[in-house]
Every structure is written in C-alpha cells, then in structure tokens.
Amino acid sequence: MPRQSTRTKKPATKAAEPEKVEKVVEEKPQKEQKKRGRKPKQVVEETPVEDKMEVEEEQNEEETTTQTKADKQQPEQQEETGSDSEDGSDDEEENDLDLNALDESDSDSEFERDLNEKQSAAGIQANKYQNAAEEESSDEEDEDEIDIDDLDAEGEEGEEIKAISQARQTINNKQGLLTALKRFALGTSDKVPFAFHQSVVSKKVTEESIPAIDDDLARELAFMNQALEAARVGRALLRKEGVPFTRPTDYFAETLRSDETMEKVKAKLIEEATAKKASAEARKQRDLKKFGKQVQVAKQQERAKQKRDTLEKIELLKKKRKDGSGPSGATEAEDLFDVAVDNELKGKPGSKDNSKKRGRDGKESGGPNAKRQRKNDKFGFGGKKKYTKSNDALSSGDVSGFSARKMKSGGGEGGRAGGPGGGSKPKKFKPAPRPGKARRAASAGRR
Amino acid sequence: MAAVYKSLSKSAKKVEDTEENNNTTTTNGGFRKNKQRVLILSSRGVTYRHRHLLNDLAAMLPHGRKDVKFDSKSKLYQLNELAELYNCNNVMFFEARKGKDLYMWFSKVPNGPTVKFHAQNLHTMEELHFTGNCLKGSRPLLSFDGAFEQEPHYRVIKEVFLQMFGVPQGARKSKPFIDHVMSFSIADGKIWVRNYEIREVEKAKGEKDSEGNDIPEDKSSSKKRKGAPNAELKDTDVSLVEIGPRFVLTPIVIQEGAFGGPIIYENKRFISPNHVRSELRKSKATRHNARTEQVKERLGKLETLTAQAKAEKDVLDTRELFA
C-alpha cells in the first residue's frame, strides 16, 4: 500500500520511475518463460513482445502527464493501482498471488497506455505497419537475448522459475480489445434480424453449473443444457421471423456425416446392444446352471423318497395281510398290486405322517448326494478294490450270457456276438442260412 | 437491368458508412451484410487426427475454402496474401508442432484481430460414435456461454467465432433449414466446443406445464406467420443429439493485426505443453537422481568401513597371532 499514497498524492513527480524499473524487472522472467516454452525462432510470437516493450517505455515517459487525467476519469483506478503496487511488493514473499488482482493490475497499466494511444492516434496503427519491417531486425535481437536468458536461467533455481511463471505478467489491453472488437464486429443488436447472425448468448454462466470440471457427465450435461436453451430460443425467434426451421421429411440432401459413417455408427450400436444382450444371457445361463443343479438334486431325492415310501407301504401291506388273513396267503402276490388298497392307504392321514417321518429319517440316512453316489459307483467307496474285475468262482459259474442257439449257429461272428450284448439283438447277427442239400453236395464234390 | 439497379443501390448505401471493412456491406435494413469466407488450412506435420478435425470443420463451413498445407511456420503473415488470393476474409490455420501439439490460429484477414488457441482433447466426428447428423452446410445456431460477454477478450473471441463458424445468410452452398447447434462454453479458462443436432420430438403431455412459457410464444409467432401449419409448430419440442467433433481451445494470445501487430491479450493461465512435458521429465529426473545419490552414498560408506576395518588391527587376528 505505501506506493499508492505516493502515486495519488504527487503524480507529477518521479512516481513513474520506480514503476519503470519494476516493469523491466518483471519483463525478464516473462521472456524467459517464453523462451523456455516456445521455440526460439518463432518470429511472429516474439516480435510483439518487442513492440510492447517499446510502447511501454514510451508510455512511461508520458505517464507523468497522463496520470492525472487517468485518476480523474476513473476513481476506481486508484484502488487498482493500489493493488498493483501491493502485488509488486509482495511478489517475492508470496508465490501464489491473487490472480484476479494481478489481472486488474495489468489491465490498468494497459489502460494508461491506451490513453496515450488516444492522444497520439498513430499509436498502434503505426506499430502494426512497422511490424513487418521490424520482424527481420528483431529476429536477430531475439537470438542474442536468448543466449543471455538461457545463461541466466541456468544459474537460477528451478523453484524460482516456477514461482515466476505462476505470477508472470501478461498483457490484457482491455481498451485495445474493445477497439479491435468495434472495428470488425458485426452488429448483433436487437435491430438486426436474428436470422442474420443466429447466435444466442446464454444469460447464465455455464461454468457455474459444472460442479467439477473432471466430471465428464455433469460437464457435458451443462454444455448440452446451454445448447438446448439456445436451440429453444433460436427456434422461437426464427419462427417469429418466418424463417424455415424444421427440415421437411421429404427433403433429402447431403448430410454432414455420410451414410457410410452413419452405417458404421449403427453397426457399432447394434454390436454393443448384442454384446450386452449376450452377456446378460450368459449370466442368466450361469445362474440357471447353479440353480439347476440344486433343482436336479432335489428332484432325485424326491424320487428316491417316493420309491422308498412305496416300498415301505408295500411292506406294510404285506405284513398286514400276513397278520390279518393267514389263509388268504395264496393271493398275496395279486394283492400286492391291488390299487384299491393302495389308494386307501394313501388316503389315511396316519400313514402320511408316518411316511413323512420316514422321509425325514431317510433324508438323514440318505447319505451322499447324486454326485457322490456316482463317484462311489465308479471308483468304489472303501473296501477292497483289487481283483474286483477278475473272475471268481461265482462269475465263472455264471452262464447267463450263454446261449446254446448262438453256439449252434457257430462262426466267429456268432462267438463274438455270444456275449451279453449279443443276446439282446440276435436277429442282426443271424448267420446265413444253411445251403440246400444239392448245393452242399456240390461244394463237397468240389473239395 | 436488375443487376445494375442492385449495384447502384448498393453503392449508394455504401457511401453511408465509409469506414467499412471489405467483408461487410450494408443492405436495406441498415445493418451490415454478412459476407464471410474462411480459408481453412494447416501447417505441415499435422497428425491424422488434426487433419480429420480440419476436414470435419471444413465440412461444416460451406463458406470455407480448404487449401493445401502451408509450408512455413514462421512467416505466417504470408497467409494474408494467400487469403487475399482466395478472396477470403477469415483464416483458420492449424499449426502442428512436434507432431503432437495443435495450435489454431483464427484470424480476420486484412485488419485483424488474430486469436491463437491451443487445441486439446480433439475428437473427430468419425471416432465419436454419436448418432446425430445434420445437413451438410446448414446454418448452425451458435450458442455462446454467458461468460463470453463478461471479459473483453472473450467478446473478441466470440465475435471471431461468430464470423467463422456462423454460416452467413444466403451462403452459396448452405441449406435452407436449421438443424444443428454449435455451442461454445467457457469452463476452466478454456473454451469447449460442441456440435449438436436439433431433433424435434413430440412433446410429452406431462411436460406441457413446465413448457408453458414456450407455448404462448409459439402461438403468437404462428399467428404472425401466414399459412404456417399451426399443429405442426405446437406439438414439437426440441431435443439435442450430439454430432461431433469435440475440441477444447485455450486462448493464448490475441494480436491486433492479422498474423501480426501488437499483442492485446495474453493468457497468463496458459502453460505451454512443452513446459508441462519438461516439468514432467524433471520430476522423473529427480527421482532418478535421488536413487543414484543413494547408491553413491552407500558405496562411500562401504569404502570407509572397509578402510576402518583395515586400519584397526585386531589382536586375535591370525596374522597377529602367528606372525
């Protein structure tokens, strides 16, 4: 704040002097930054900096005269100059300066410059036209400066450069921008029909509706809302002016994206949809499989239970018959399949309870599940496994697979078919019928 | 006859405002007629993505003129002559550096200004599989963020966009219907550009209350417009479908002239991608340096320890004992 007082109190004195020094000092890091960031030979970029330097020096010379005017015209500017000096003094102490304050501070010095421009109307115009001529000369100058700057930069600490780059001074010549705007702007005021420019400036600031810039969805939604609002407004305005808006359905013309691309997009969409569907299907199948096993096991158990129940019932019935009617034992076998009795049994509530109980018991003693059962069958479960497949007295005595008829028919084929499998389909392996007597005799004769 | 009359009346109006740019002429309304032509070209060394983006933009601008790659990156003022050669008053120049960074120059040609942007997050129309589509060369609605009115440099940028991306009324290859919106939004100090198709859909019945403001407006407009089918106007609502391309522009510098002249704006928040990369490399280098230093330290320690061990002669050493 100390500099503010000196400035406002005596603008006609040497208040401009320290400013100038400060400017030049701050200019250097900026240039360094430039050199670091961009290629050294970029003439177009570098030359304007030269211009700016020159202009500023001019400005500083004249500043003393214009200062009073500027202060009178804009009382707010005093505050800004205050912030300017403050920033300048705090520069070494704080790395993270208030950017807004800096911005304003830049602009106000630029504003002064514009006052100068107004006084000498040639100002920028002259600069602009000189520019081409200066480019050649400034190119060489630039190269010289690059060497010096590079040397300086090497001597300094990296930290320091970083800090400077954060607080580097930039140009924001607001007045210049506005004059430039005035020079080339098309009128978009209310007098101009909307169809002339077709631009809608939103009343809202879009950034305010974006919670975090990294949140893609929210950000795009905000952009879309802005565009949607513009589309609504624009449509209403265009309709008011009688400008055709909607494309009729029978209007065909070349589109921005070719049919080929749209086809691709469509294919992509379909592919995505099918992939999604397939994955859903697969998941469903997987779930079903997991669940299906349980169902299967349950069914098997149910069946087993049913079988056990019926067997028990029969057993019970048998006992009953035996106990109840001894003499009628002859018809026992028939009665076994007496449906009426069976039905009666089923109807009995007591028996049902009984069966249920049994069932539960059965479940407990039901033992291994189907998988285990199958494995037990296959691999055996406990006990001796050796010689299980070799013959013993019983198996060698077993002649159930033997068929005299097959043996009679003879032949290798018959022998092969003589096993237990062969018995099941005797017709297929039936040998050719015996030839007739004459033929047999003939064949015997040949021998 | 008509042509003569036209030219005469035109010249009469032209007298009215003398400080007219050659890109604009007045018509009966008293406002300037929008005459824009954009020269679209790139430097050498663009990647395929840059090229595709350029093609996309060229397809969107019926008043654009695509030209071959420009050879020089330093003598950009030559573009002024080139633009003059093609009767263009706008230049959209894609400058690629190092085969990865894209800078876009938007310039109003004879008198400026020139805006230089750094383009990031490029996504061309083709690689974005959006379902939107629109007529080639239809005039877009331009939607600007409210922030464009707040700062002078944004106002300049807005005007440049308006003249470049806005297809002038009655442009030669433009189509008579409006079916897309280009939106420019400012977020994070960058300008985000999006392109949407306007799709008119049946208005849902439930929405009628919320859209109450729009409906009376439409009614009045349809009344004014003679012979317009009212029913068609009333029951449609607008929805947007994105078309593409997408890109983000960081303004770097605004020059007063066309590819020259004093700088009137400079973005202090812009950090050159080269700088970013070098910082990244540096941070990696520090890691490596720390590691090598550690190794050195360890070796040094080892050395000193062995030296110490040698210096101290143990009494129970075999050499001492059986010397």
Side-chain angles (χ1 to χ4, degrees), chain A residues 45 124 220 226 246 256-257, chain B residues 130 134 185 194 200 256:
Chain A
E45 281 170 57
I124 288 164
E220 294 302 325
Q226 181 205 317
T246 319
L256 187 59
R257 308 170 80 189
Chain B
F130 290 135
C134 67
S185 320
R194 297 285 182 269
E200 297 196 60
E256 196 171 26

Side-chain angles (χ1 to χ4, degrees), chain A residues 370-435:
Chain A
K371 197 177 175 187
R372 191 65 252 166
Q373 195 82 53
R374 182 69 60 77
K375 280 191 170 171
N376 287 350
D377 285 350
K378 194 174 177 187
F379 304 111
F381 182 67
K384 191 181 175 188
K385 290 177 200 74
K386 216 171 179 185
Y387 306 127
T388 46
K389 283 182 181 172
S390 58
N391 275 340
D392 55 358
L394 240 160
S395 76
S396 58
D398 178 24
V399 287
S400 63
F402 176 76
S403 155
R405 202 168 53 137
K406 265 178 204 163
M407 283 304 282
K408 237 183 187 175
S409 68
E413 262 190 332
R416 220 180 291 156
S424 60
K425 285 176 185 173
K427 267 190 184 172
K428 202 178 177 185
F429 300 104
K430 204 173 185 177
R434 194 180 183 205

